[in-house]
Amino acid sequence: QVQLVESGGGLVQPGGSLRLSCAASGSIFSINDMNWYRQAPGKQRELVATITNIGITNYADSVKGRFTISRDNAKNTVYLQMHSLKPEDTAVYYCNAAGRGSDSAFGSWGQGTQVTVSS
């Protein structure tokens, strides 16, 4: 079983920055795409950013130029650096990863970390 644990959320003022981390642990053979999603109150979960195992990235239009996704394959960890945060970025942020464990494929979600942007 592969587990994902996020950290780094919190309260920040508009225009501020936060860095989220998500570490995968368990019987991991390989991880393909790693993703960050977010879900605001009353809204559907949306894909924020994706990074492939060779570092190709993609972003939602709403965060392009402000958020940067990166990963450390040696640590099985994905990061989301967020700058110029806006109140509309307020949401629970979830990481997601898919790959192969020691004996089967996996797709896992973290428990979520709250990001609140408010003055």
Side-chain angles (χ1 to χ4, degrees), residues 86-103:
K86 305 175 181 180
E88 51 263 43
D89 295 316
T90 296
V92 178
Y93 284 70
Y94 299 89
C95 68
N96 164 261
R100 187 149 191 90
S102 57
D103 56 1

Side-chain angles (χ1 to χ4, degrees), residues 25-86:
S25 62
S27 299
I28 299 169
F29 178 73
S30 63
I31 302 178
N32 301 324
D33 291 359
M34 301 185 83
N35 312 294
W36 285 99
Y37 286 77
R38 67 186 181 187
Q39 187 166 19
K43 295 188 176 181
Q44 289 188 330
R45 191 172 296 189
E46 64 172 345
L47 179 61
V48 175
T50 295
I51 186 166
T52 71
N53 58 349
I54 58 171
I56 296 171
T57 60
N58 197 23
Y59 298 92
D61 288 343
S62 59
V63 306
K64 280 181 181 176
R66 300 188 299 121
F67 290 11
T68 302
I69 189 171
S70 61
R71 65 191 281 176
D72 183 335
N73 290 332
K75 297 181 178 179
N76 290 327
T77 299
V78 63
Y79 305 96
L80 187 68
Q81 179 68 57
M82 305 183 291
H83 294 297
S84 302
L85 283 160
K86 305 175 181 180

